Amino acid sequence: HTEDELSRSSHSNPGKSLVNGIKTNPASNSPKSSLPVPMGPPVYVDLAYIPNHCSGKNTDAEFFKRVRASYYVVSGNDAANGEPSRAVLDALLEGKSQWGENLQVTLIPTHDTEVTREWYQQTHEKQQELNIMVLASSSTVVMQDESFPACKIEF
């Protein structure tokens, strides 16, 4: 299609739009109902922040199969909203088990939560098998009226 044809087709059919060259209905688009993402090689990064405060809403084993990090940051601290999600932590184990290589992975929780403690204790053997280390901070940063745990990461 030329740009002119694409422009006319979107004006003549206002309920549809183009996403990656494919007509879609914007009303039906949601994070879970988007088009399937084609398989490709995994992406290797030093540091990855687990999306959405480690919520199970949009992070699953597929994320960990595709985004292979030396360090993953888990920042969830809201049990009422399922953050961090036990399912996402389990997905890390599932995704990492399919890497086919035993690279060291460090998980960095920014909060000490019951979910992460239970997951750590219940899956510790599997973590060791997969070369996953959970980093617990023993350092504290104090700034004005607040203090928080901190860790140093060197690349």
Side-chain angles (χ1 to χ4, degrees), residues 47-99:
L47 178 72
Y49 177 89
I50 299 177
N52 204 23
H53 303 287
C54 197
S55 165
K57 294 176 184 168
N58 50 7
T59 304
D60 57 11
E62 193 63 33
F63 172 81
F64 296 105
K65 289 178 199 173
R66 291 173 177 235
V67 180
R68 299 180 181 185
S70 297
Y71 299 88
Y72 289 102
V73 177
V74 176
S75 70
N77 189 26
D78 186 358
N81 284 320
E83 299 168 3
S85 166
R86 170 67 189 251
V88 173
L89 296 172
D90 289 339
L92 167 62
L93 298 175
E94 181 186 337
K96 173 87 167 62
S97 71
Q98 297 181 31
W99 286 12

Side-chain angles (χ1 to χ4, degrees), residues 99-118:
W99 286 12
E101 51 194 329
N102 198 20
L103 300 174
Q104 169 73 46
V105 167
T106 303
L107 190 68
I108 306 168
T110 61
H111 297 88
D112 181 22
T113 66
E114 187 174 330
V115 170
T116 53
R117 269 184 268 127
E118 284 180 5

